Amino acid sequence: MPLPATAPIASPPQAAFGDTIEILPKIFHDDTNLAVMRRQLDADLAASVAAQLAVDRRLDWRWRGGVGEALAEDLLNHLPRPSQAKPLVEDITLICEAMAYLFDTQTIGVRLQRLEGAMCPRFHVDNLAVRLVSTYAGAGSEWLPEPAVERAGLGAPRPGKPDPLRDAQSIRRLGCGDIALLKGEGWVGNEGRGLVHRSPQPAPGEPRLLLALDPG
């Protein structure tokens, strides 16, 4: 008598790292929920970032629309020191163009924020399909490899609910300047497997500058 067919057991999602942009399409692999292009900011870009943060002013720029001159002009108009912003604007525009090309979309949601505290301090997953994050200043986003995750602990805390973090020694952190694609729960076929991550707590007097992009 033949045995009943069983569904294949999905392997734990993996992370992919590289030093060139060719690593980012790895996010389309079924077994990959994090793709990271490692990079360090060059001197001109780092100086441009530092100039914007030297002004003690709130920065929370948001854009949803096409990628082009309008995006660059709007960003420039919202930065504290536009005369020193060219390298930063060019870098963000280039990343937006790459995101639009990779996901074949005409619309990008963009957010550039100065953060004095942890925006999402609890480990969580995103309900969207995918998000690109890059930290221009301060500590990079923290994430967990699958063996360190207790998924029953995700979501709003309540009495008796376990901690989503199984092992504090397993916390990983993206580097400043890294460009990372984080696959969420909204990616078709990735339900229950979205990357678990959180915002780090900035050091006192050292704000973060975070870029986040959503395609479509």
Side-chain angles (χ1 to χ4, degrees), residues 90-183:
E90 289 180 344
D91 192 69
I92 291 174
T93 302
L94 185 62
I95 293 173
C96 289
E97 290 173 349
M99 186 76 158
Y101 177 81
L102 184 62
F103 290 96
D104 191 22
T105 179
Q106 300 297 316
T107 303
I108 293 287
V110 191
R111 184 175 75 246
L112 181 69
Q113 286 181 290
R114 174 182 177 140
L115 300 171
E116 308 289 345
M119 181 171 56
C120 301
R122 182 177 171 84
F123 278 111
H124 66 284
V125 294
D126 292 332
N127 290 322
L128 44 71
V130 65
R131 171 166 287 161
L132 182 150
V133 298
S134 187
T135 302
Y136 282 105
S141 300
E142 296 177 345
W143 62 280
L144 296 178
E146 194 62 27
V149 176
E150 177 54 73
R151 289 191 176 267
L154 296 172
R158 64 174 184 268
K161 193 171 188 176
D163 193 309
L165 174 62
R166 287 180 175 175
D167 178 14
Q169 301 300 315
S170 296
I171 297 173
R172 304 287 186 263
R173 176 176 287 177
L174 299 173
C176 182
D178 287 353
I179 298 173
L181 289 172
L182 286 58
K183 191 181 288 182

